[in-house]
PDB file of all heavy atoms in Angstrom:
ATOM      1  N   ASP P 421      -1.368  46.207 -51.469  1.00 92.00           N
ATOM      2  CA  ASP P 421      -1.955  46.297 -52.808  1.00 92.00           C
ATOM      3  C   ASP P 421      -2.707  45.025 -53.184  1.00 92.00           C
ATOM      4  O   ASP P 421      -3.841  45.071 -53.632  1.00 92.00           O
ATOM      5  CB  ASP P 421      -0.855  46.564 -53.851  1.00 92.00           C
ATOM      6  CG  ASP P 421      -0.245  47.944 -53.668  1.00 92.00           C
ATOM      7  OD1 ASP P 421      -0.980  48.835 -53.196  1.00 92.00           O
ATOM      8  OD2 ASP P 421       0.934  48.129 -53.981  1.00 92.00           O
ATOM      9  N   VAL P 422      -2.040  43.887 -53.035  1.00 93.00           N
ATOM     10  CA  VAL P 422      -2.659  42.631 -53.442  1.00 93.00           C
ATOM     11  C   VAL P 422      -2.514  41.585 -52.344  1.00 93.00           C
ATOM     12  O   VAL P 422      -1.419  41.384 -51.816  1.00 93.00           O
ATOM     13  CB  VAL P 422      -2.019  42.065 -54.734  1.00 93.00           C
ATOM     14  CG1 VAL P 422      -2.695  40.751 -55.129  1.00 93.00           C
ATOM     15  CG2 VAL P 422      -2.121  43.072 -55.861  1.00 93.00           C
ATOM     16  N   ALA P 423      -3.623  40.955 -52.002  1.00 94.00           N
ATOM     17  CA  ALA P 423      -3.583  39.792 -51.111  1.00 94.00           C
ATOM     18  C   ALA P 423      -3.892  38.565 -51.948  1.00 94.00           C
ATOM     19  O   ALA P 423      -4.892  38.551 -52.673  1.00 94.00           O
ATOM     20  CB  ALA P 423      -4.605  39.931 -49.995  1.00 94.00           C
ATOM     21  N   ILE P 424      -3.000  37.579 -51.925  1.00 94.00           N
ATOM     22  CA  ILE P 424      -3.253  36.348 -52.679  1.00 94.00           C
ATOM     23  C   ILE P 424      -3.635  35.254 -51.684  1.00 94.00           C
ATOM     24  O   ILE P 424      -2.810  34.827 -50.876  1.00 94.00           O
ATOM     25  CB  ILE P 424      -2.011  35.907 -53.482  1.00 94.00           C
ATOM     26  CG1 ILE P 424      -1.426  37.081 -54.280  1.00 94.00           C
ATOM     27  CG2 ILE P 424      -2.355  34.752 -54.410  1.00 94.00           C
ATOM     28  CD1 ILE P 424      -0.161  36.732 -55.040  1.00 94.00           C
ATOM     29  N   VAL P 425      -4.882  34.847 -51.746  1.00 94.00           N
ATOM     30  CA  VAL P 425      -5.358  33.807 -50.837  1.00 94.00           C
ATOM     31  C   VAL P 425      -5.233  32.468 -51.555  1.00 94.00           C
ATOM     32  O   VAL P 425      -5.878  32.236 -52.579  1.00 94.00           O
ATOM     33  CB  VAL P 425      -6.827  34.058 -50.446  1.00 94.00           C
ATOM     34  CG1 VAL P 425      -7.337  32.934 -49.538  1.00 94.00           C
ATOM     35  CG2 VAL P 425      -6.976  35.406 -49.763  1.00 94.00           C
ATOM     36  N   ILE P 426      -4.348  31.608 -51.062  1.00 92.00           N
ATOM     37  CA  ILE P 426      -4.111  30.335 -51.744  1.00 92.00           C
ATOM     38  C   ILE P 426      -4.706  29.198 -50.933  1.00 92.00           C
ATOM     39  O   ILE P 426      -4.113  28.720 -49.966  1.00 92.00           O
ATOM     40  CB  ILE P 426      -2.602  30.097 -51.959  1.00 92.00           C
ATOM     41  CG1 ILE P 426      -2.016  31.281 -52.719  1.00 92.00           C
ATOM     42  CG2 ILE P 426      -2.369  28.791 -52.704  1.00 92.00           C
ATOM     43  CD1 ILE P 426      -0.551  31.181 -52.994  1.00 92.00           C
ATOM     44  N   GLY P 427      -5.896  28.812 -51.327  1.00 86.00           N
ATOM     45  CA  GLY P 427      -6.506  27.647 -50.686  1.00 86.00           C
ATOM     46  C   GLY P 427      -6.828  27.830 -49.218  1.00 86.00           C
ATOM     47  O   GLY P 427      -6.945  26.871 -48.485  1.00 86.00           O
ATOM     48  N   ALA P 428      -6.943  29.091 -48.780  1.00 87.00           N
ATOM     49  CA  ALA P 428      -7.418  29.330 -47.416  1.00 87.00           C
ATOM     50  C   ALA P 428      -8.875  29.733 -47.540  1.00 87.00           C
ATOM     51  O   ALA P 428      -9.280  30.322 -48.539  1.00 87.00           O
ATOM     52  CB  ALA P 428      -6.619  30.436 -46.750  1.00 87.00           C
ATOM     53  N   ASN P 429      -9.673  29.402 -46.562  1.00 84.00           N
ATOM     54  CA  ASN P 429     -11.078  29.772 -46.674  1.00 84.00           C
ATOM     55  C   ASN P 429     -11.600  30.369 -45.368  1.00 84.00           C
ATOM     56  O   ASN P 429     -11.754  31.582 -45.246  1.00 84.00           O
ATOM     57  CB  ASN P 429     -11.898  28.552 -47.098  1.00 84.00           C
ATOM     58  CG  ASN P 429     -13.288  28.936 -47.567  1.00 84.00           C
ATOM     59  OD1 ASN P 429     -13.804  29.977 -47.216  1.00 84.00           O
ATOM     60  ND2 ASN P 429     -13.902  28.093 -48.377  1.00 84.00           N
ATOM     61  N   ASP P 430     -11.811  29.517 -44.384  1.00 82.00           N
ATOM     62  CA  ASP P 430     -12.431  30.005 -43.150  1.00 82.00           C
ATOM     63  C   ASP P 430     -11.588  31.054 -42.432  1.00 82.00           C
ATOM     64  O   ASP P 430     -12.122  31.956 -41.805  1.00 82.00           O
ATOM     65  CB  ASP P 430     -12.701  28.830 -42.207  1.00 82.00           C
ATOM     66  CG  ASP P 430     -13.662  27.836 -42.849  1.00 82.00           C
ATOM     67  OD1 ASP P 430     -14.574  28.301 -43.565  1.00 82.00           O
ATOM     68  OD2 ASP P 430     -13.489  26.623 -42.653  1.00 82.00           O
ATOM     69  N   VAL P 431     -10.255  30.960 -42.551  1.00 87.00           N
ATOM     70  CA  VAL P 431      -9.399  31.872 -41.791  1.00 87.00           C
ATOM     71  C   VAL P 431      -9.355  33.277 -42.386  1.00 87.00           C
ATOM     72  O   VAL P 431      -8.747  34.178 -41.814  1.00 87.00           O
ATOM     73  CB  VAL P 431      -7.951  31.334 -41.658  1.00 87.00           C
ATOM     74  CG1 VAL P 431      -7.945  30.029 -40.887  1.00 87.00           C
ATOM     75  CG2 VAL P 431      -7.280  31.191 -42.999  1.00 87.00           C
ATOM     76  N   VAL P 432     -10.004  33.465 -43.554  1.00 91.00           N
ATOM     77  CA  VAL P 432     -10.090  34.816 -44.124  1.00 91.00           C
ATOM     78  C   VAL P 432     -11.552  35.215 -44.325  1.00 91.00           C
ATOM     79  O   VAL P 432     -11.850  36.132 -45.073  1.00 91.00           O
ATOM     80  CB  VAL P 432      -9.340  34.933 -45.476  1.00 91.00           C
ATOM     81  CG1 VAL P 432      -7.837  34.873 -45.266  1.00 91.00           C
ATOM     82  CG2 VAL P 432      -9.781  33.855 -46.455  1.00 91.00           C
ATOM     83  N   ASN P 433     -12.455  34.519 -43.681  1.00 89.00           N
ATOM     84  CA  ASN P 433     -13.883  34.777 -43.893  1.00 89.00           C
ATOM     85  C   ASN P 433     -14.353  35.926 -42.998  1.00 89.00           C
ATOM     86  O   ASN P 433     -14.406  35.771 -41.780  1.00 89.00           O
ATOM     87  CB  ASN P 433     -14.686  33.513 -43.584  1.00 89.00           C
ATOM     88  CG  ASN P 433     -16.157  33.658 -43.989  1.00 89.00           C
ATOM     89  OD1 ASN P 433     -16.639  34.763 -44.228  1.00 89.00           O
ATOM     90  ND2 ASN P 433     -16.853  32.537 -44.058  1.00 89.00           N
ATOM     91  N   PRO P 434     -14.677  37.077 -43.601  1.00 89.00           N
ATOM     92  CA  PRO P 434     -15.050  38.244 -42.778  1.00 89.00           C
ATOM     93  C   PRO P 434     -16.274  37.981 -41.908  1.00 89.00           C
ATOM     94  O   PRO P 434     -16.502  38.698 -40.933  1.00 89.00           O
ATOM     95  CB  PRO P 434     -15.364  39.323 -43.817  1.00 89.00           C
ATOM     96  CG  PRO P 434     -14.805  38.845 -45.097  1.00 89.00           C
ATOM     97  CD  PRO P 434     -14.770  37.355 -45.039  1.00 89.00           C
ATOM     98  N   ALA P 435     -17.063  36.978 -42.248  1.00 85.00           N
ATOM     99  CA  ALA P 435     -18.245  36.665 -41.443  1.00 85.00           C
ATOM    100  C   ALA P 435     -17.866  36.394 -39.994  1.00 85.00           C
ATOM    101  O   ALA P 435     -18.652  36.648 -39.081  1.00 85.00           O
ATOM    102  CB  ALA P 435     -18.979  35.450 -42.029  1.00 85.00           C
ATOM    103  N   ALA P 436     -16.658  35.909 -39.794  1.00 83.00           N
ATOM    104  CA  ALA P 436     -16.217  35.617 -38.426  1.00 83.00           C
ATOM    105  C   ALA P 436     -16.170  36.886 -37.586  1.00 83.00           C
ATOM    106  O   ALA P 436     -16.280  36.847 -36.363  1.00 83.00           O
ATOM    107  CB  ALA P 436     -14.839  34.955 -38.450  1.00 83.00           C
ATOM    108  N   ALA P 437     -15.981  38.025 -38.255  1.00 82.00           N
ATOM    109  CA  ALA P 437     -15.890  39.285 -37.526  1.00 82.00           C
ATOM    110  C   ALA P 437     -17.215  40.042 -37.521  1.00 82.00           C
ATOM    111  O   ALA P 437     -17.495  40.813 -36.602  1.00 82.00           O
ATOM    112  CB  ALA P 437     -14.806  40.164 -38.145  1.00 82.00           C
ATOM    113  N   THR P 438     -18.047  39.824 -38.541  1.00 83.00           N
ATOM    114  CA  THR P 438     -19.199  40.703 -38.723  1.00 83.00           C
ATOM    115  C   THR P 438     -20.545  40.029 -38.529  1.00 83.00           C
ATOM    116  O   THR P 438     -21.543  40.707 -38.339  1.00 83.00           O
ATOM    117  CB  THR P 438     -19.183  41.297 -40.148  1.00 83.00           C
ATOM    118  OG1 THR P 438     -19.182  40.209 -41.087  1.00 83.00           O
ATOM    119  CG2 THR P 438     -17.960  42.155 -40.383  1.00 83.00           C
ATOM    120  N   ASP P 439     -20.606  38.720 -38.601  1.00 81.00           N
ATOM    121  CA  ASP P 439     -21.901  38.055 -38.632  1.00 81.00           C
ATOM    122  C   ASP P 439     -22.110  37.173 -37.402  1.00 81.00           C
ATOM    123  O   ASP P 439     -21.622  36.049 -37.344  1.00 81.00           O
ATOM    124  CB  ASP P 439     -21.992  37.209 -39.915  1.00 81.00           C
ATOM    125  CG  ASP P 439     -23.323  36.483 -40.014  1.00 81.00           C
ATOM    126  OD1 ASP P 439     -24.155  36.643 -39.100  1.00 81.00           O
ATOM    127  OD2 ASP P 439     -23.527  35.746 -40.991  1.00 81.00           O
ATOM    128  N   PRO P 440     -22.837  37.705 -36.409  1.00 78.00           N
ATOM    129  CA  PRO P 440     -23.009  36.956 -35.150  1.00 78.00           C
ATOM    130  C   PRO P 440     -23.698  35.607 -35.344  1.00 78.00           C
ATOM    131  O   PRO P 440     -23.581  34.738 -34.489  1.00 78.00           O
ATOM    132  CB  PRO P 440     -23.892  37.879 -34.305  1.00 78.00           C
ATOM    133  CG  PRO P 440     -23.768  39.219 -34.940  1.00 78.00           C
ATOM    134  CD  PRO P 440     -23.515  38.993 -36.396  1.00 78.00           C
ATOM    135  N   SER P 441     -24.383  35.401 -36.472  1.00 76.00           N
ATOM    136  CA  SER P 441     -25.083  34.134 -36.653  1.00 76.00           C
ATOM    137  C   SER P 441     -24.180  33.078 -37.285  1.00 76.00           C
ATOM    138  O   SER P 441     -24.571  31.926 -37.442  1.00 76.00           O
ATOM    139  CB  SER P 441     -26.318  34.333 -37.532  1.00 76.00           C
ATOM    140  OG  SER P 441     -25.928  34.681 -38.842  1.00 76.00           O
ATOM    141  N   SER P 442     -22.960  33.501 -37.672  1.00 74.00           N
ATOM    142  CA  SER P 442     -22.059  32.540 -38.311  1.00 74.00           C
ATOM    143  C   SER P 442     -21.437  31.617 -37.263  1.00 74.00           C
ATOM    144  O   SER P 442     -21.080  32.058 -36.178  1.00 74.00           O
ATOM    145  CB  SER P 442     -20.942  33.291 -39.050  1.00 74.00           C
ATOM    146  OG  SER P 442     -19.956  32.379 -39.475  1.00 74.00           O
ATOM    147  N   PRO P 443     -21.336  30.325 -37.597  1.00 70.00           N
ATOM    148  CA  PRO P 443     -20.739  29.381 -36.641  1.00 70.00           C
ATOM    149  C   PRO P 443     -19.307  29.734 -36.260  1.00 70.00           C
ATOM    150  O   PRO P 443     -18.836  29.352 -35.192  1.00 70.00           O
ATOM    151  CB  PRO P 443     -20.775  28.053 -37.388  1.00 70.00           C
ATOM    152  CG  PRO P 443     -21.734  28.222 -38.487  1.00 70.00           C
ATOM    153  CD  PRO P 443     -21.781  29.674 -38.824  1.00 70.00           C
TER     154      PRO P 443
END
Side-chain angles (χ1 to χ4, degrees):
Chain P
D421 293 330
V422 180
I424 311 177
V425 178
I426 304 180
N429 194 337
D430 299 324
V431 297
V432 289
N433 189 345
T438 57
D439 180 0
S441 67
S442 170

